[in-house]
Amino acid sequence: MAPSAILGTAPLDQEISIISSNTPTKATRTEVKHPEEPALLHRSLLERPHNVSYASGSYMTLKDGRKILDGCGGAAVAIIGHGNEEVLSATLAQMRKVSYVHTLSYTTDAAEDLANFLLHNPASASKHSLEKAYFVGSGSEANDAAMKLARQYFFEQGQTQRKCFVARRQGYHGNTIGAMSISNNLARRIPYRDLAIPNVSFVAPAYAYQYAHASESEAEYCTRLIAEIEAEFHRLGPQNIIAFVAEPVVGATAGCVAAPKGYFPAIRKLCDEHGVLLMLDEVMCGMGRTGTYFAFEQESVVPDIVTVGKGLGGGYAPIAAVLISGKIIDVLRAGTSAFNHGHTYQAHPVTCATALAVQNIVRREGLVERCADMGRLLEKLLRETFSASKYVGDIRGRGLFWALEFVEDRRTKSTFDKSVGFGLRVQQAAFERGVAVYPGGGTVDGVSGDHVLIAPPYNVSEVDLRIIVDTLKAAYVSIERYIDGEQGSSEKCILKL
Ligand SMILES: *Cc1c(COP(=O)(O)O)cnc(C)c1O
């Protein structure tokens, strides 16, 4: 069922069930009752997340004493692992120097240095024309800022009729109203769809495993996707479009999905023909995660705006950035000379100093290259371990950013009923065995499909990488057996782990 068929037309109880399947409470929803409610509003009122009392390198220690190998860095955040002393020292040093100033009147070396470091990275500087960095506190804020900047770019040129964004189904750009409006993560949108900004349209995801026709070559699939985007541009009137927005490698929503070869260059060309901006969201896949500093380097395109986040501070600081091409800055220079936007905590000296310390380590230790190397090993291990697994439909990813997509039938690629919660079960079974991976549901269309995501730190050891894959296999096998054992039982889908 296509999400568009559900949004706004499904009965309310069905919509509520889609939302609740997005939270990790499904299996235990009716059984857990907590006499004492914590003051902190957790993601679920029914389940208590694990309390982590200590984390170092690739391992977290829970309050109950269990040690967990972090195979996903939270949500692909912890790129250098946990508890790094050098980062701690840099953070403290910055707090001693300057903990806060308002950017209306002040700047700090920490913010200036981080911007210079990111944009003049010798490994990637020749591959982009990004000229300015704008620092905020989260990926959602970065994408909201990018949307406003893109609009201002046209406004200052008198093209005030440009109001539309074109994004993709099964893409995620954040949870604030602006970023949510260009996202198509169904469960996260449902209650708020009437608040979403208008003038956003969604085209097909570039997701060959589920959406390319069996008879179609990669090039033919790509041509079909581009034709749809071109048709959407013409339907809207290309002179009315602000930007095309996409994740170069789709992260949590569909599980490490890269586009077919030639897709992004064709979009770049289409955007240029119509003066539309290309805005790439690398909040999850950027900062080296896919084995290159920017994910777009592997697509042979240069975006006009790119947002980065999760790996930027590596979890040590809440920081994200909008990186902006000279083309956009030139228009501001010729016009108002100011981005008409701002936050209290933008370019925060401490988060900038912390992120700079993380990025210094990444560069000094060659961790992006290491991510690419370890990624090749991870791919090999995953393919060896899961290629014959009957419920593993697809094994895909780049760098240290990999996903297993689960299907009930590998031949038809049909998905498990969402009440099975296959991905969630595999994640829970892996966790019980001491390894954290990141689960996802609604992989295919926001409702159906399951995957788990593997995104260890770039400095993960080879031994730990093997433990992650072996443990994931043991977890998967336990769920495979469980599902097969229940075959024919009417209660197959609703049993608790
Ligand atoms: C996580 C994510 C965001 C949102 O970032 P937050 O820091 O959670 O606001 C945006 N885009 C992508 C691709 C993401 O993975």
Side-chain angles (χ1 to χ4, degrees):
M1 198 169 355
S4 52
I6 289 161
L7 275 180
T9 56
L12 188 60
D13 57 349
Q14 190 184 330
E15 294 193 335
I16 286 174
S17 99
I18 292 169
I19 301 168
S20 57
S21 69
N22 195 43
T23 64
T25 60
K26 191 68 187 167
T28 49
R29 176 163 290 275
T30 53
E31 287 134 59
V32 183
K33 293 219 166 38
H34 293 299
E36 302 144 32
E37 284 278 340
L40 181 62
L41 179 59
H42 293 301
R43 291 204 172 212
S44 160
L45 291 173
L46 298 180
E47 266 207 358
R48 300 268 179 98
H50 305 282
N51 191 319
V52 182
S53 47
Y54 181 79
S56 175
S58 299
Y59 285 83
M60 302 177 288
T61 305
L62 307 185
K63 210 169 178 178
D64 64 14
R66 279 186 292 166
K67 216 173 157 191
I68 303 292
L69 173 51
D70 190 0
C72 55
V77 172
I79 63 173
I80 60 165
H82 302 272
N84 185 286
E85 289 291 333
E86 184 178 329
V87 178
L88 173 71
S89 305
T91 304
L92 274 179
Q94 182 59 45
M95 281 191 169
R96 286 205 180 95
K97 271 195 284 188
V98 189
S99 57
Y100 175 75
V101 288
H102 198 283
T103 50
L104 197 56
S105 316
Y106 310 101
T107 187
T108 56
D109 283 346
E112 303 285 349
D113 290 350
L114 180 62
N116 286 327
F117 191 97
L118 295 180
L119 295 181
H120 305 152
N121 188 320
S124 67
S126 61
K127 296 172 189 137
H128 65 70
S129 50
L130 301 166
E131 204 175 290
K132 298 276 183 193
Y134 185 84
F135 297 117
V136 292
S138 70
S140 302
E141 278 175 70
N143 284 323
D144 269 34
M147 291 170 76
K148 289 174 73 173
L149 181 64
R151 164 65 185 179
Q152 194 184 335
Y153 167 79
F154 289 114
F155 189 86
E156 298 216 1
Q157 298 178 84
Q159 297 185 42
T160 53
Q161 83 289 351
R162 289 207 193 239
K163 294 175 190 153
C164 303
F165 288 91
V166 178
R168 304 187 299 177
R169 291 195 292 281
Q170 289 309 87
Y172 178 62
H173 305 292
N175 269 331
T176 49
I177 300 280
M180 179 195 74
S181 301
I182 56 169
S183 301
N184 200 253
N185 187 315
L186 190 67
R188 295 181 184 186
R189 267 181 76 111
I190 283 176
Y192 318 112
R193 63 169 167 260
D194 296 336
L195 308 186
I197 62 164
N199 306 319
V200 180
S201 51
F202 294 98
V203 295
Y207 179 2
Y209 175 68
Q210 287 286 355
Y211 290 101
H213 301 151
S215 59
E216 225 168 21
S217 69
E218 183 174 2
E220 285 163 349
Y221 177 49
C222 182
T223 303
R224 177 159 65 88
L225 289 171
I226 298 301
E228 187 206 346
I229 296 168
E230 193 162 11
E232 184 59 16
F233 275 27
H234 285 289
R235 191 186 69 82
L236 295 166
Q239 73 285 358
N240 298 319
I241 303 172
I242 294 173
F244 180 85
V245 189
E247 299 164 74
V249 179
V250 178
T253 313
C256 305
V257 184
K261 202 163 179 309
Y263 175 85
F264 280 104
I267 288 174
R268 177 74 270 183
K269 190 161 159 277
L270 197 59
C271 286
D272 288 342
E273 273 166 28
H274 300 295
V276 173
L277 294 177
L278 177 59
M279 180 176 149
L280 296 182
D281 178 347
E282 298 209 0
V283 171
M284 198 167 199
C285 63
M287 303 312 298
R289 176 55 68 188
T290 63
T292 47
Y293 189 66
F294 292 111
F296 68 70
E297 292 172 47
Q298 296 176 52
E299 305 298 338
S300 318
V301 289
V302 177
D304 301 302
I305 305 180
V306 58
T307 51
V308 292
K310 295 180 167 92
L312 176 58
Y316 291 86
I319 185 169
V322 187
L323 306 176
I324 308 151
S325 65
K327 164 172 141 185
I328 292 172
I329 298 299
D330 285 344
V331 166
L332 294 193
R333 274 196 194 101
T336 61
S337 294
F339 179 22
N340 192 29
H341 186 65
H343 287 289
T344 304
Y345 287 137
Q346 83 185 53
H348 189 277
V350 178
T351 63
C352 287
T354 304
L356 182 58
V358 172
Q359 297 307 321
N360 258 316
I361 292 168
V362 169
R363 186 182 298 181
R364 189 183 69 225
E365 298 184 359
L367 292 183
V368 175
E369 299 72 31
R370 189 170 192 282
C371 178
D373 289 343
M374 293 302 275
R376 280 183 277 275
L377 175 63
L378 178 59
E379 172 172 14
K380 179 172 164 281
L381 294 174
L382 288 173
R383 293 203 189 284
E384 280 169 11
T385 309
F386 289 101
S387 287
S389 300
K390 68 176 184 181
Y391 295 136
V392 176
D394 197 22
I395 303 168
R396 58 179 175 244
R398 282 184 184 168
L400 283 174
F401 195 45
W402 281 80
L404 302 180
E405 179 172 338
F406 302 113
V407 291
E408 189 165 25
D409 182 338
R410 296 220 297 191
R411 199 178 44 82
T412 63
K413 301 178 184 174
S414 63
T415 56
F416 285 101
D417 191 283
K418 81 182 168 67
S419 63
V420 176
F422 196 98
L424 206 57
R425 284 183 188 280
V426 172
Q427 176 254 334
Q428 287 177 358
F431 189 84
E432 293 308 319
R433 289 163 175 78
V435 167
V437 293
Y438 195 77
T443 310
V444 180
D445 57 8
V447 180
S448 315
D450 293 273
H451 65 271
V452 292
L453 208 141
I454 304 136
Y458 305 169
N459 53 4
V460 66
S461 72
E462 193 175 321
V463 170
D464 285 344
L465 204 57
R466 288 177 191 278
I467 295 175
I468 291 168
V469 175
D470 290 347
T471 307
L472 188 57
K473 175 72 178 202
Y476 163 82
V477 166
S478 75
I479 302 306
E480 184 187 290
R481 287 206 183 115
Y482 162 77
I483 297 282
D484 292 351
E486 293 301 324
Q487 215 53 256
S489 156
S490 60
E491 288 192 302
K492 173 184 162 190
C493 296
I494 49 169
L495 287 176
K496 171 168 151 19
L497 262 182

